[in-house]
Amino acid sequence: MSAKDFLFELGTEELPPKALKTLSDALESEVRAGLAALLGEETLKQSVFTSYAAPRRLALLVTDLATEVAESRTLVQGPPANIAYDKDGNPSKALEGFARKCGASLDQLTEVNGKISFEQVNPAQPVAPLLPEIVTQALDKLPIPKRMRWGASRAEFVRPVKWVVMLFGDEVVPCEILGHKADRHSRGHRFHYNEPIELFAGREYVAVLKEKGKVLADFAERRELIRSQLLGEATRVGGQVVIDEALLDEVTALNEWPVALTGRFEERFLEVPAQALISTMADNQKYFHLLDDAGNLMPYFITVANIESRDPQQVIEGNEKVIRPRLSDAAFFFETDKKRSLESRVDALKKIVFQKELGTIYEKSVRIGKLAALVATQIGGDAAQAERAGLLCKTDLVSEMVLEFPELQGLMGYHYAQNDGEPEEVALAQNEHYMPRFHGDELPQSRTGIAVAIADRIDTLIGLFAINQPPTGSKDPFALRRATLGVLRIIVERELDLDLRSLLEAATAQYSGLPAQDSAAEQVLEFMLERFRAWYEEKGISVDNYLAVHALKPSKPLDFDRRVRAVAHFRTLPEAASLAAANKRVGNILGKAEQVGTDVDEALLSGDSEKALARQVTALEEQLLPLFQSGQYEQALEALAGLQAPVDRFFEDVMVMADDNAVRNNRLALLQRLRNLFLGVADISVLAA
């Protein structure tokens, strides 16, 4: 089958930088899906897809694309053969209607598997005329939250469209896309080569744009060029550039012909907390900051220009002029904020509503403080400091710096608390209570920070559930799932012996009159324990290990985690499968019994198998009790693995449901004690074979 290269390029005004890569990937995915539906996956395997994305263009090159859709045959089935003709041999109306539908004569119809059928031949057809529709549908499916119109056009896209290139081989595919007729003319760099560039072959696209148009169309190539330039500039001034990958992607999406340049700012600004300066440079100006060998911020920044200037010093000076007033603002806010203590800002929180049914930020802070004191007491922290830190933990929200740079909340609270002379742990908690801020983020270190972090999240969880606003499948406006995982991570990774149920009940007691308050603690507990499922799936631990522990609903996260890990270890033992099956069998037997006790009468035991199992169960009850109490679940399950042989022999030799009621009940009691031993860790009967 013959093949040609297919090139599509959509030229636009500057595309949203944070969405550029997403749009490019989606365009490739949708066009690929359209071509697969047309040609079939097997035919499409010979083709190679390459996406290109730059500030003013989205492009896709498909090399070795089949030039035609191969002939195919489709069997269309109609009415049953036994009703196709009447008793006189005349065709029925159903048969005639089927023939008309297929555009066929009666003699072209055949019988297949008892039904009148027609083999429809789909002739081969050229691919080129079908490409515009595939591209149009792909563009319509791009993840664009809000489309726009421009001029008198009725076309809609994320930005105004300026040109369209569509080549199949060396020929233009005639069509109109988003109000523009396709041709072979791309455009060069807005400043270096703002002229049409004629294209004759898709494979020349990247090279022609680069050499003639001063445009690097390949997103990955551009990103790595910027990275190398950043590293080179940092070396030149003796620093280490901090390359945030999200910022690098954004800068890559802003530049077609990137050139990194290093600027400088006044050292007096270094008296401002470094993160404030970094936020100013990164968020507002898209600059990269530099650190010295000791990890301290240096008075330099690296900007990436979209032009190769003949006088780069002018570009540098222009950026220095822009950043100076922004850094001056940060310095002014910092100095102004330090004139007032965090404590003096507490009353201002009374005017800020957290949630209309849950009160103000001030009321939330009071609740956080009291709950944090309880947590601190339980984890060996200072209750008074925890309550103080909780009361102050939201006060930096009304500072000038955080109002200007919301992403600095917590960090500025730390600096202002230090300035106020607050105890070090109270100061640390101002920032630490927001940790972890995102998946994989660092956890709070101080006991006070841990207490406030847990209290803040639990208060929010209880409050929202108590007013019947839990997360739904698609909406979680208060990030309750993230809050839950934060609490679980803190407790498990910091190895804290905290009971969620008691904390949730204490948090609930601080509210009054909420519609679902009575059931909130249990609802939140179940919600939080359910989050463990995703936690373990991410760690590669089988979900049935989680289910085995969840069946018991232990409310201490650290204890929950130890049990799950113990079950995962137990699964590696050769006895595991047999004992899991035996536990399932025991569970089924006990489930059918009305009342089962745990008192076993030795006089009613008969046979070596039954007596041997009873002896081992009794011995293990004494041996395992201290292991259960100390949370040594792996050792407990290893000991229980020794029951495999006696349990198997018991079921081979003993009829549990004996006719004699006393004997039957005695055997059920033995099985109940056996099952209770395993339930000291988990319900292993749910483990898959």
Side-chain angles (χ1 to χ4, degrees):
M1 181 179 291
S2 62
K4 293 181 179 179
D5 296 340
F6 171 57
L7 173 68
F8 169 68
E9 182 191 52
L10 186 72
T12 68
E13 292 293 354
E14 276 73 5
L15 292 161
K18 291 185 179 180
L20 180 64
K21 194 68 173 65
T22 300
L23 292 173
S24 176
D25 292 343
L27 177 63
E28 177 182 336
S29 176
E30 294 296 342
V31 171
R32 182 189 291 273
L35 290 173
L38 179 66
L39 298 168
E41 290 285 357
E42 194 62 33
T43 301
L44 205 59
K45 284 181 179 179
Q46 70 179 15
S47 305
V48 177
F49 288 71
T50 309
S51 294
Y52 301 103
R56 296 197 301 149
R57 69 199 73 224
L58 292 171
L60 177 64
L61 173 63
V62 185
T63 57
D64 296 321
L65 182 65
T67 58
E68 68 175 22
V69 182
E71 178 187 283
S72 62
R73 296 174 181 268
T74 305
L75 187 68
V76 183
Q77 292 193 316
N82 59 4
I83 65 167
Y85 295 90
D86 62 20
K87 61 182 180 180
D88 297 324
N90 298 313
S92 66
K93 290 185 178 181
L95 180 62
E96 291 176 339
F98 177 65
R100 283 196 302 273
K101 176 183 175 183
C102 295
S105 60
L106 293 179
D107 59 0
Q108 290 177 301
L109 304 180
T110 59
E111 181 181 336
V112 178
N113 296 328
K115 288 193 173 184
I116 301 299
S117 305
F118 174 69
E119 187 176 53
Q120 182 174 302
V121 179
N122 305 307
Q125 57 180 323
V127 164
L130 306 175
L131 293 173
E133 180 62 23
I134 290 175
V135 170
T136 298
Q137 290 181 3
L139 293 172
D140 288 342
K141 294 178 181 178
L142 293 187
I144 301 172
K146 189 174 183 181
R147 295 173 182 256
M148 63 181 294
R149 293 181 182 176
W150 54 94
S153 171
R154 296 188 63 82
E156 293 183 347
F157 197 58
V158 64
R159 291 291 184 270
V161 175
K162 294 298 185 181
W163 73 88
V164 173
V165 173
M166 191 177 290
L167 295 179
F168 194 45
D170 59 357
E171 297 179 357
V172 174
V173 179
C175 64
E176 184 173 305
I177 302 284
L178 293 174
H180 287 265
K181 290 185 177 181
D183 62 21
R184 62 174 71 251
H185 292 93
S186 182
R187 301 288 189 277
H189 190 282
R190 186 182 290 278
F191 305 112
H192 286 306
Y193 194 85
N194 193 17
E195 298 178 30
I197 297 176
E198 195 167 16
L199 300 170
F200 294 96
R203 298 193 193 206
E204 298 175 357
Y205 175 73
V206 172
V208 171
L209 281 185
K210 181 177 181 179
E211 294 166 9
K212 191 172 185 178
K214 291 283 189 178
V215 171
L216 292 176
D218 190 308
F219 188 94
E221 178 187 0
R222 226 165 45 251
R223 179 175 54 197
E224 293 313 305
L225 174 62
I226 293 172
R227 189 193 302 275
S228 66
Q229 290 181 354
L230 292 173
L231 294 171
E233 287 292 301
T235 299
R236 189 173 62 80
V237 297
Q240 300 173 17
V241 63
V242 178
I243 303 178
D244 179 87
E245 294 300 319
L247 177 59
L248 179 60
D249 281 347
E250 189 174 356
V251 169
T252 302
L254 286 166
N255 295 279
E256 290 185 320
W257 194 255
V259 178
L261 301 167
T262 301
R264 185 181 177 91
F265 57 85
E266 298 166 54
E267 291 192 20
R268 65 183 178 88
F269 292 126
L270 295 177
E271 297 175 7
V272 179
Q275 193 56 48
L277 303 181
I278 293 168
S279 293
T280 300
M281 290 188 284
D283 296 342
N284 298 119
Q285 301 304 125
K286 314 306 174 189
Y287 295 164
F288 295 85
H289 65 281
L290 293 94
L291 304 177
D292 62 21
D293 291 339
N296 299 314
L297 185 66
M298 297 176 71
Y300 294 102
F301 63 86
I302 303 177
T303 183
V304 180
N306 190 30
I307 189 170
E308 192 171 342
S309 175
R310 294 173 183 170
D311 187 1
Q313 189 57 38
Q314 283 196 27
V315 179
I316 293 171
E317 290 175 0
N319 280 275
E320 289 174 342
K321 287 179 181 178
V322 169
I323 196 62
R324 189 174 296 115
R326 292 194 175 276
L327 297 182
S328 296
D329 286 346
F332 173 76
F333 294 145
F334 184 56
E335 292 303 321
T336 300
D337 286 340
K338 288 196 297 183
K339 294 175 183 177
R340 288 186 59 191
S341 67
L342 290 180
E343 186 175 20
S344 71
R345 300 176 186 274
V346 170
D347 282 349
L349 301 178
K350 296 177 180 178
K351 300 176 183 177
I352 306 173
V353 175
F354 167 61
Q355 202 281 342
K356 63 179 182 179
E357 295 177 74
L358 303 179
T360 63
I361 295 290
Y362 168 77
E363 291 169 313
K364 178 174 176 60
S365 299
V366 172
R367 293 193 302 268
I368 292 172
K370 291 179 179 178
L371 189 58
L374 175 63
V375 175
T377 300
Q378 296 181 14
I379 64 174
D382 187 310
Q385 288 191 5
E387 185 165 4
R388 173 74 172 172
L391 180 65
L392 299 178
C393 71
K394 305 299 181 185
T395 51
D396 70 344
L397 295 178
V398 292
S399 67
E400 295 294 331
M401 184 73 87
V402 174
L403 288 172
E404 181 69 18
F405 304 108
E407 68 275 10
L408 297 181
Q409 58 186 282
L411 181 66
M412 296 316 301
Y414 164 73
H415 288 289
Y416 297 149
Q418 279 196 320
N419 182 70
D420 296 346
E422 296 285 352
E424 181 65 13
E425 286 221 352
V426 172
L428 286 170
Q430 303 307 301
N431 186 42
E432 288 185 336
H433 85 280
Y434 287 107
M435 299 176 181
R437 290 178 169 85
F438 51 84
H439 179 71
D441 188 26
E442 62 181 312
L443 300 178
Q445 298 288 332
S446 70
R447 294 285 166 177
T448 302
I450 289 171
V452 180
I454 292 173
D456 185 11
R457 290 165 172 80
I458 284 182
D459 175 77
T460 300
L461 282 159
I462 283 293
L464 270 295
F465 271 80
I467 59 172
N468 292 312
Q469 288 195 29
T472 63
S474 59
K475 293 183 179 180
D476 187 7
F478 285 86
L480 299 187
R481 293 185 180 91
R482 187 173 66 197
T484 294
L485 286 173
V487 172
L488 296 178
R489 275 195 63 202
I490 292 170
I491 294 176
V492 172
E493 294 181 30
R494 291 287 180 256
E495 297 188 344
L496 305 174
D497 187 30
L498 289 172
D499 185 354
L500 284 180
R501 179 176 277 107
S502 65
L503 293 180
L504 293 168
E505 289 172 351
T508 305
Q510 296 194 103
Y511 287 98
S512 63
L514 300 183
Q517 187 169 340
D518 292 344
S519 61
E522 285 303 315
Q523 286 186 56
V524 174
L525 178 61
E526 179 58 30
F527 174 78
M528 297 184 77
L529 294 181
E530 183 64 29
R531 294 305 98 201
F532 262 131
R533 179 194 290 261
W535 168 305
Y536 292 117
E537 286 179 346
E538 184 178 308
K539 293 179 181 290
I541 295 176
S542 175
V543 68
D544 54 351
N545 294 345
Y546 155 80
L547 292 172
V549 176
H550 184 264
L552 306 185
K553 290 185 170 54
S555 57
K556 292 185 175 182
L558 181 59
D559 184 65
F560 196 111
D561 184 66
R562 287 172 174 166
R563 291 171 186 260
V564 170
R565 295 182 184 280
V567 173
H569 171 69
F570 173 72
R571 298 283 292 277
T572 66
L573 303 179
E575 302 88 351
S578 176
L579 284 171
N583 266 265
K584 187 170 186 178
R585 183 175 180 180
V586 169
N588 290 336
I589 292 171
L590 295 175
K592 295 175 182 177
E594 293 183 2
Q595 287 186 338
V596 179
T598 56
D599 293 330
V600 175
D601 185 347
E602 293 185 11
L604 294 176
L605 298 174
S606 63
D608 294 340
S609 299
E610 188 174 6
K611 292 177 180 178
L613 180 61
R615 283 195 303 271
Q616 277 201 260
V617 167
T618 301
L620 283 170
E621 285 173 338
E622 295 181 10
Q623 177 187 342
L624 298 185
L625 182 59
L627 295 180
F628 290 150
Q629 292 174 339
S630 59
Q632 298 180 69
Y633 300 118
E634 282 193 18
Q635 295 90 322
L637 285 176
E638 285 178 352
L640 286 169
L643 285 172
Q644 182 204 351
V647 167
D648 288 348
R649 284 196 298 270
F650 175 84
F651 280 118
E652 287 174 5
D653 300 343
V654 177
M655 174 67 71
V656 176
M657 306 306 286
D659 293 334
D660 187 309
N661 284 341
V663 172
R664 180 172 65 248
N665 291 334
N666 202 54
R667 290 172 179 172
L668 289 172
L670 176 59
L671 291 182
Q672 183 65 65
R673 287 171 63 176
L674 170 68
R675 181 157 172 74
N676 288 346
L677 281 174
F678 285 93
L679 291 177
V681 181
D683 183 359
I684 68 167
S685 68
V686 306
L687 299 180

